[in-house]
Amino acid sequence: MKTIIIAAILMLFSAGIHSQQIQIKGEIRDAGDSQPVEFANIVLQTLDSAFIAGTNSNEKGAFRLEKIKPGDYRLVVSYLGYETTYVSILGIAKSIDLGKVLLQPSSVALEEVTIKASAVRSYSDRRIAFPTDQQKQNATNGINLLSTMMLPRLQVNPLTNEVKADEGDIQFCINGIKVEALDVQALSPKEIIRVEYHDNPGVRYGNVAAVLDYIVKRETTGGSVNMNLSNSPVTVFGDDQVAIRLNHKKSEFGLQYSTRYRNFNARKEALETYNFGDGMNMQRVLNGIPTYIMETTHNTSLNYSLVEADKYYFNATLRYSFTKERKKSHSLLYEKRTPEQITDVRSGGESRSHLPSLDLYYMRTLKNKQTVTANIVGTYINTDANQNYTEKEEEEVLSDVLSNVLGKKYSLIGEGIYEKNWDFGRLSSGVKHSQAWTDNTYAGTVGGNTRMKQSETYLFAEFSGKVKRLNYMGGVGVARSWFKQEGEDSYQYYSFRPKVSLQYNMTDNTFIRLGGSVGNTSPALSELSAIEQIIDTLQIRRGNPYLTPYMNYNTYLNYEYRKGLFTGGVNLYYWYSPDMIMEETLFENNKFIRTYANQNSWQKVSGDLNIRFGPIKNILMFNITGGVNHFISDGRTYRHTYTNLYYTASVMAMYKKFMGMFQIGSPRNNFVGETMHGGENIHLFMLRYNQGKFTAGAGIMLPFSSLYKREDENRNRYAPYKMESFSTSASRMLLLTFSWNFEFGRKYKGGSKKLNNIDTDAGIVKGDK
């Protein structure tokens, strides 16, 4: 803690001064960038800590205490994420202006402070968001807490507990360590201190689009049971989870189980065009008959951690995941020129995946604000997948394709990081190495075996700091990628990954951020596999062992303005990926081969406008985003452009123990290679009621639509297609939710992890459409 001594020894010149005339005022500011700290907790005490008066700073950081009697006092200023500051006020006899009272940021919040209104701090690489007590009360877990906070550029579905970023994958963390979304879903909102939203993550995080790091309190005694249930009474759809944690002094024991299950009716309609080499062409119409898609997942984790505050943190986690998928499809197929000749098409299959992993982690705190961390993760993925495809015309079998894949993958990931903090900035440096061995056996109509080895070594260094109103972050990484497939040539690839970000706070309510980065992407093992899988009578899926990693360049410009209840932001982005791995379609022996190749380039230009307003009277909040994505896909034999306009809007109301929300949005489509992959056209309504430890609610997916629909389009010159997928199960689907967060004998203390890694890529080539 930091102590500021203000010796305000004032002489009493007139006995006529009355105590009610004395005022104490000032401004609470961030010591780094001098921005105002809103809603800081301010308490005036006597020197023996007796309470005299209290208040909160306003949106400009200003505060005022009135009707203070003459005497000696101590002012205590506290806020989550900052060290508590003390100001001694001695012999006060008349009103005093303390000027700027500076708060120093803290890595660990040491005590509980009541936050009465939403507060967000913005830096060059992240936003630090403090949820209010009301937002915590109206959330049931760490995922749907995000929906009450309405952070920009995040899409949160509070009914299915899904979170998406506008521009790619999200990495979840708890106290700095990478975890799965299910681990965040198991968090009780009450234990969450703040959410660090890295909307511009540094080089240590790799190629992810965003990082959500939940800073939570750690218990030193007692325990908790957290249960979250979400099920539909009208169809087979559910997400259920229970987590148990027990604490004793320095140790914590945790057990978590979750299950996810789906059983939807589904059908497809498609128009497929095939242009043969002799100038002939064919158009086939596919009319789907409703069948089903089933999916069941079970996840279990057993955790032990040992913490000595400000000294060390050891954690061991054993995870096991089992996933079973079953698909069945029935369609009627005919050529557009001869609709009377109908072919009966049936396909389906089942896949099972087992994924155990062991995660060991250790962090050591050293002198002079230094830490070293190490993490090692071993993973095994076992996959058994089978698939069938048949075409019949009357009783004649035109095609009968069987496929079975037995896959085994072993991987080992190790990472170490060193961090050093100064008052003016932070240095991070580290190394990460990953090694994978894959053995996949393909049987059925087409057989084969692939044995692959892949590794990557990555070294990085990063520094971030502040100079007056300028926040800056700069880093560089160097990577070596290596791949070898049995019977094929190996490759070795080196890449240079710099990143820089500058944020200038133009005023207390306005900032502008500019930055860019260079990275690389290695091909997926499924793309590299030297194997073929039959899709149907005309199409084959083929891997390409000659793929090489490619570079990614991106730059961005962000502007944000905040005033009272209003927050508005404009974001511009540009991506450029030369030699990007994209699809390629070949025509060989009257078959259309769907494969991959390093193409010329891929570009994306994106812009969006985000407006948030509220909370009005601590009840209503609105959030609206509108944007445009423009794609340029340049292949060796093709060039396509595509533009997608989209919007999302949500309104939330919180009153006492009730919370209601409505969301609506248009599809955010993506275009890569020659294919447009359609997004979801989702709208939903939900209502929840909180009664202490229990929360019950209900929601409806797509209440104004009788049909769930997604569209895909391929523009290849040989075999283009347009496909629509439909489901009536997902529309007007009622979901009932129930949560129970029970605690006993808990006391809190700080403790955090910094690293975690896991592997989920099985490296299997799939032959389904």
Side-chain angles (χ1 to χ4, degrees):
M1 298 183 182
K2 181 179 178 182
T3 303
I4 301 176
I5 305 297
I6 296 182
I9 305 176
L10 304 175
M11 300 299 295
L12 185 60
F13 294 101
S14 171
I17 295 181
H18 301 289
S19 61
Q20 66 267 23
Q21 294 177 326
I22 298 179
Q23 297 178 348
I24 300 175
K25 66 179 182 178
E27 295 182 9
I28 311 302
R29 296 272 176 164
D30 184 298
D33 55 17
S34 196
Q35 291 191 59
V37 178
E38 304 172 86
F39 313 110
N41 197 48
I42 301 160
V43 175
L44 186 68
Q45 302 176 343
T46 63
L47 297 183
D48 58 358
S49 300
F51 177 84
I52 299 299
T55 187
N56 294 96
S57 57
N58 63 18
E59 63 188 30
K60 295 182 178 180
F63 72 92
R64 182 186 302 239
L65 297 170
E66 299 181 338
K67 299 181 180 181
I68 306 302
K69 295 180 180 180
D72 298 333
Y73 299 101
R74 178 171 57 231
L75 192 75
V76 183
V77 184
S78 56
Y79 191 73
L80 289 177
Y82 291 90
E83 295 181 356
T84 300
T85 295
Y86 299 93
V87 179
S88 294
I89 306 174
L90 306 178
I92 185 172
K94 65 178 183 179
S95 298
I96 184 173
D97 186 347
L98 299 177
K100 295 181 180 180
V101 179
L102 303 180
L103 299 187
Q104 294 286 350
S106 172
S107 59
V108 179
L110 300 179
E111 53 186 283
E112 187 70 15
V113 181
T114 299
I115 302 297
K116 295 184 177 180
S118 176
V120 177
R121 311 292 296 164
S122 181
Y123 300 91
S124 59
D125 61 340
R126 70 193 188 279
R127 304 167 189 261
I128 300 178
F130 299 91
T132 68
D133 285 347
Q134 189 175 25
Q135 288 171 337
K136 293 181 183 181
Q137 176 181 312
N138 287 284
T140 61
N141 58 60
I143 293 293
N144 61 47
L145 176 65
L146 296 174
S147 64
T148 67
M149 298 173 70
M150 292 188 175
L151 296 175
R153 302 182 65 78
L154 288 181
Q155 306 163 52
V156 184
N157 187 323
L159 293 179
T160 60
N161 290 302
E162 294 177 315
V163 186
K164 298 178 182 178
D166 286 352
E167 308 302 341
D169 296 330
I170 293 178
Q171 177 176 306
F172 292 95
C173 298
I174 297 177
N175 286 337
I177 174 175
K178 181 181 176 183
V179 297
E180 301 299 312
L182 291 171
D183 299 305
V184 175
Q185 189 176 334
L187 289 176
S188 168
K190 182 179 178 181
E191 63 187 320
I192 298 171
I193 298 173
R194 65 182 186 268
V195 179
E196 296 192 0
Y197 172 29
H198 297 251
D199 53 347
N200 179 32
V203 293
R204 62 169 290 185
Y205 294 105
N207 295 325
V208 297
V211 177
L212 288 170
D213 190 0
Y214 289 74
I215 307 303
V216 304
K217 297 175 288 185
R218 178 179 171 83
E219 309 82 34
T220 58
T221 186
S224 65
V225 179
N226 302 315
M227 178 185 294
N228 290 278
L229 308 177
S230 178
N231 296 274
S232 173
V234 296
T235 189
V236 181
F237 184 101
D239 290 279
D240 300 325
Q241 182 180 52
V242 61
I244 303 171
R245 279 183 288 177
L246 299 174
N247 298 86
H248 179 66
K249 296 182 179 179
K250 300 177 182 179
S251 296
E252 178 178 273
F253 302 86
L255 175 64
Q256 180 180 309
Y257 169 75
S258 65
T259 181
R260 166 192 169 100
Y261 52 92
R262 307 281 191 268
N263 189 346
F264 280 160
N265 69 63
R267 67 182 180 89
K268 292 182 179 179
E269 292 185 359
L271 175 63
E272 303 173 338
T273 301
Y274 298 95
N275 296 310
F276 298 91
D278 56 3
M280 299 293 294
N281 65 75
M282 174 195 302
Q283 282 191 315
R284 301 201 305 182
V285 178
L286 189 74
N287 287 329
I289 298 173
T291 48
Y292 66 86
I293 298 175
M294 298 176 60
E295 176 190 339
T296 304
T297 301
H298 301 275
N299 294 285
T300 305
S301 65
L302 183 64
N303 171 268
Y304 171 74
S305 63
L306 180 67
V307 176
E308 176 70 37
D310 300 322
K311 290 186 179 180
Y312 63 82
Y313 186 177
F314 170 76
N315 184 86
T317 302
L318 179 63
R319 301 178 186 271
Y320 173 72
S321 176
F322 170 73
T323 300
K324 178 181 178 180
E325 295 181 354
R326 184 181 298 169
K327 297 180 181 180
K328 186 177 181 180
S329 175
H330 184 196
S331 304
L332 301 179
L333 177 68
Y334 61 87
E335 289 190 36
K336 203 169 184 180
R337 291 174 294 191
T338 56
E340 68 281 358
Q341 296 181 358
I342 297 177
T343 300
D344 187 85
V345 179
R346 297 176 187 262
S347 64
E350 181 176 301
S351 66
R352 298 169 182 261
S353 176
H354 303 263
L355 196 161
S357 66
L358 177 62
D359 177 348
L360 300 175
Y361 166 89
Y362 182 74
M363 179 186 75
R364 184 75 183 184
T365 301
L366 307 175
K367 295 180 180 179
N368 302 320
K369 299 182 180 179
Q370 301 176 92
T371 60
V372 291
T373 55
N375 181 224
I376 185 167
V377 179
T379 304
Y380 169 64
I381 305 176
N382 179 277
T383 305
D384 184 355
N386 62 76
Q387 182 178 320
N388 62 81
Y389 178 87
T390 62
E391 290 185 10
K392 286 185 178 181
E393 190 172 308
E394 296 180 350
E395 296 301 320
E396 182 182 358
V397 177
L398 303 179
S399 177
D400 190 4
V401 179
L402 298 175
S403 174
N404 181 258
V405 184
L406 296 176
K408 297 179 181 180
K409 182 183 178 183
Y410 307 85
S411 68
L412 191 65
I413 304 173
E415 186 173 12
I417 288 182
Y418 166 80
E419 286 191 350
K420 166 67 176 175
N421 285 275
W422 295 274
D423 292 339
F424 56 86
R426 181 182 73 244
L427 171 68
S428 299
S429 62
V431 59
K432 177 179 179 180
H433 179 78
S434 58
Q435 188 81 37
W437 302 265
T438 304
D439 186 352
N440 294 329
T441 301
Y442 297 81
T445 306
V446 177
N449 180 263
T450 59
R451 291 186 174 91
M452 297 176 286
K453 298 178 182 179
Q454 188 178 42
S455 69
E456 181 175 274
T457 304
Y458 178 55
L459 294 90
F460 75 89
E462 180 179 277
F463 188 85
S464 59
K466 309 171 189 174
V467 178
K468 295 183 179 180
R469 289 183 172 270
L470 178 68
N471 288 267
Y472 62 89
M473 183 270 291
V476 63
V478 179
R480 172 189 177 268
S481 302
W482 177 84
F483 172 78
K484 170 64 177 176
Q485 185 167 189
E486 188 175 272
E488 304 288 345
D489 294 334
S490 63
Y491 75 71
Q492 184 172 260
Y493 186 85
Y494 292 88
S495 61
F496 182 64
R497 307 178 186 177
K499 186 167 190 175
V500 64
S501 178
L502 301 172
Q503 177 175 309
Y504 182 72
N505 301 304
M506 304 162 66
T507 68
D508 293 339
N509 301 313
T510 307
F511 75 80
I512 188 168
R513 181 195 292 169
L514 174 67
S517 66
V518 178
N520 79 302
T521 301
S522 297
L525 291 180
S526 58
E527 297 171 336
L528 288 164
S529 295
I531 202 74
E532 290 187 351
Q533 289 284 275
I534 297 176
I535 299 175
D536 56 27
T537 53
L538 293 174
Q539 300 180 91
I540 294 174
R541 180 82 61 194
R542 177 190 294 171
N544 182 358
Y546 302 105
L547 299 174
T548 59
Y550 59 91
M551 301 301 296
N552 302 292
Y553 304 86
N554 78 81
T555 185
Y556 56 86
L557 178 65
N558 309 133
Y559 172 83
E560 185 173 290
Y561 173 77
R562 292 184 290 116
K563 183 67 174 179
L565 302 179
F566 174 84
T567 301
V570 177
N571 304 285
L572 302 174
Y573 296 87
Y574 174 69
W575 289 264
Y576 174 60
S577 299
D579 302 316
M580 183 172 176
I581 296 173
M582 296 188 289
E583 64 190 297
E584 184 164 88
T585 302
L586 310 174
F587 183 67
E588 297 178 0
N589 300 321
N590 289 322
K591 299 288 185 180
F592 297 89
I593 313 298
R594 304 281 189 179
T595 186
Y596 314 94
N598 288 95
Q599 306 289 355
N600 292 336
S601 67
W602 178 83
Q603 300 177 71
K604 179 181 177 182
V605 183
S606 176
D608 66 70
L609 171 66
N610 176 259
I611 295 174
R612 189 180 71 173
F613 192 77
I616 303 171
K617 301 292 185 181
N618 257 356
I619 296 177
L620 278 176
M621 183 177 290
F622 301 88
N623 189 61
I624 301 172
T625 297
V628 57
N629 293 322
H630 179 69
F631 303 88
I632 304 172
S633 188
D634 188 10
R636 296 184 298 188
T637 60
Y638 58 81
R639 179 180 173 85
H640 304 293
T641 61
Y642 177 77
T643 301
N644 173 228
L645 298 172
Y646 65 87
Y647 75 91
T648 58
S650 60
V651 57
M652 179 180 63
M654 295 182 292
Y655 181 70
K656 294 184 177 180
K657 298 181 179 181
F658 289 92
M659 190 275 281
M661 174 178 286
F662 176 73
Q663 291 184 357
I664 189 169
S666 62
R668 300 193 184 196
N669 302 334
N670 192 36
F671 195 97
V672 179
E674 297 191 276
T675 303
M676 185 279 290
H677 300 281
E680 295 182 311
N681 189 358
I682 287 293
H683 58 279
L684 62 89
F685 172 78
M686 66 167 297
L687 180 67
R688 275 203 298 259
Y689 175 76
N690 177 274
Q691 181 58 52
K693 298 180 178 66
F694 302 95
T695 300
I700 301 179
M701 295 279 291
L702 299 174
F704 307 127
S705 176
S706 60
L707 199 65
Y708 172 86
K709 178 181 176 181
R710 294 189 68 165
E711 298 181 355
D712 292 326
E713 179 183 354
N714 182 277
R715 299 182 180 179
N716 177 253
R717 59 175 177 168
Y718 291 121
Y721 62 81
K722 291 184 179 180
M723 181 180 298
E724 296 179 329
S725 302
F726 303 93
S727 175
T728 57
S729 299
S731 64
R732 296 174 182 169
M733 180 177 64
L734 175 65
L735 279 172
L736 302 179
T737 63
F738 175 80
S739 298
W740 180 45
N741 293 315
F742 174 71
E743 300 178 354
F744 53 93
R746 297 179 94 184
K747 294 182 180 179
Y748 296 100
K749 199 168 186 179
S752 62
K753 290 178 68 177
K754 297 292 183 183
L755 299 175
N756 191 55
N757 299 281
I758 196 166
D759 183 12
T760 58
D761 178 12
I764 290 176
V765 177
K766 296 183 178 181
D768 54 336
K769 283 191 177 182

